[in-house]
Amino acid sequence: MRYELKSIPIWPLTKVAFFLNLVVGFIFGIVYGFFLSFFLAVMSQLPGFQTGELDLDAAGVGIGAMMIIMPFISAISSAVFGTIACIVIGFIYNLVAKLVGGVELNLNELVLQPAARYSTPPPQQTVQTYTPPPPPDVKPSEQSPTDDKEPLA
């Protein structure tokens, strides 16, 4: 089977790109926050940084605050700029696909079967239960178990 991707709808691309860029940006922001805070903690121990030229606590930005803020800043910026980049790439792909044709996919190995649609509900399967036979040496009693009990008052 040969399929051709002739165009990419822009609105679904925008929604998916925004969500994926938001998640990936948040993850990279966590990694970047840890890396940057570790780097600044190491660099603050060097003699050149102890002269007071770079004082993060005086600027109101502590290392802990940076570790908390960086994932959100990274997620928002990645979501905005990454989504804009995906929209531009989608427009470019749609223009090029109109001129030279879309990407052709050969799906010989993959078997696609359409979903069966029923006009009537499918037949119900019956479940058979197994009841074991009584053991051969036990005879059923002729008296029921409730006959010998007195009624409750």
Side-chain angles (χ1 to χ4, degrees), residues 9-94:
I10 298 299
W11 180 243
L13 174 70
T14 303
K15 292 189 293 187
V16 170
F18 183 81
F19 178 74
L20 290 179
N21 283 318
L22 189 72
V23 170
V24 170
F26 189 80
I27 292 170
F28 279 130
I30 291 172
V31 172
Y32 185 68
F34 280 124
F35 174 74
L36 191 60
S37 61
F38 174 74
F39 180 73
L40 288 176
V42 169
M43 293 300 286
S44 67
Q45 301 300 319
L46 295 176
F49 280 89
Q50 292 179 355
T51 60
E53 295 174 10
L54 179 63
D55 191 11
L56 292 176
D57 290 331
V61 179
I63 292 175
M66 187 180 323
M67 289 176 57
I68 293 172
I69 294 172
M70 282 308 295
F72 295 105
I73 292 173
S74 177
I76 292 170
S77 64
S78 175
V80 170
F81 295 119
T83 304
I84 291 171
C86 286
I87 290 171
V88 169
I89 290 170
F91 275 124
I92 291 171
Y93 178 81
N94 288 341

Side-chain angles (χ1 to χ4, degrees), residues 131-149:
T131 55
D137 59 336
V138 176
K139 295 182 181 179
S141 67
E142 296 176 8
Q143 184 180 15
S144 69
T146 58
D147 289 345
D148 59 344
K149 292 183 183 174

